[in-house]
Amino acid sequence: MARSWRVKKQRYSLTGELCHHCGSTVFPPRDVCPECAKPAYDPIRLSGKGEVYSFTTVFEAPKGFDAQSPYSLALIKLHEGPMLTAQLTDVEAKDIRIGMPVEMVTRKLSVEGDEGLIQYGYKFRPQMMALAA
């Protein structure tokens, strides 16, 4: 099965897992809970809301992302607990700050191969309510 099909729930709906044993929320889904090392999970759809924990600007982008360079990349701490790395969108680099509330949006990630297969997935933007305040 193609990787794009295997990861579609986490890429498009931010689906993680809830550990039955210790109650940890895990993202991305794994075979073993990183907190208690036991295997039982239930799928859980994460809220897609969190805050910027850390960030940087990428000037030398890897293949497939070079057309987007420079872009901001952030470590996002979700409200449910897990942290993930994601590109920031709809915000100028000078306006990004640690602790800034963000929300998940689906955007184009990259274009692969000679046929131009477009990969979509999650990025994060400043929360709309935070912009209005």
Side-chain angles (χ1 to χ4, degrees):
M1 179 185 294
R3 182 175 189 273
S4 59
W5 283 100
R6 285 181 281 148
V7 298
K8 72 178 186 179
K9 284 187 178 179
Q10 69 189 58
R11 263 194 193 163
Y12 302 123
S13 65
L14 215 59
T15 299
E17 293 176 330
L18 182 63
C19 178
H20 288 272
H21 302 284
C22 69
S24 294
T25 303
V26 179
F27 186 85
R30 300 178 187 166
D31 292 335
V32 176
C33 175
E35 297 297 323
C36 69
K38 295 185 179 174
Y41 296 115
D42 281 331
I44 182 173
R45 186 166 180 179
L46 303 172
S47 68
K49 299 198 183 313
E51 65 180 43
V52 173
Y53 186 82
S54 184
F55 64 96
T56 190
T57 301
V58 176
F59 292 96
E60 298 290 329
K63 185 179 178 183
F65 295 89
D66 43 349
Q68 302 172 40
S69 176
Y71 58 87
S72 297
L73 195 62
L75 188 58
I76 307 293
K77 182 166 180 57
L78 297 172
H79 287 323
E80 294 86 355
M83 285 205 267
L84 58 89
T85 303
Q87 195 173 346
L88 295 177
T89 188
D90 304 329
V91 62
E92 296 291 327
K94 67 179 178 50
D95 297 327
I96 301 168
R97 59 181 169 69
I98 292 175
M100 180 173 75
V102 291
E103 62 188 0
M104 184 200 104
V105 291
T106 300
R107 294 286 199 280
K108 181 171 125 183
L109 295 179
S110 64
V111 178
E112 295 181 2
D114 295 335
E115 295 179 8
L117 177 63
I118 299 172
Q119 298 285 328
Y120 289 91
Y122 58 79
K123 293 185 180 182
F124 282 78
R125 69 177 179 197
Q127 278 187 15
M128 299 306 283
M129 294 298 289
L131 288 175

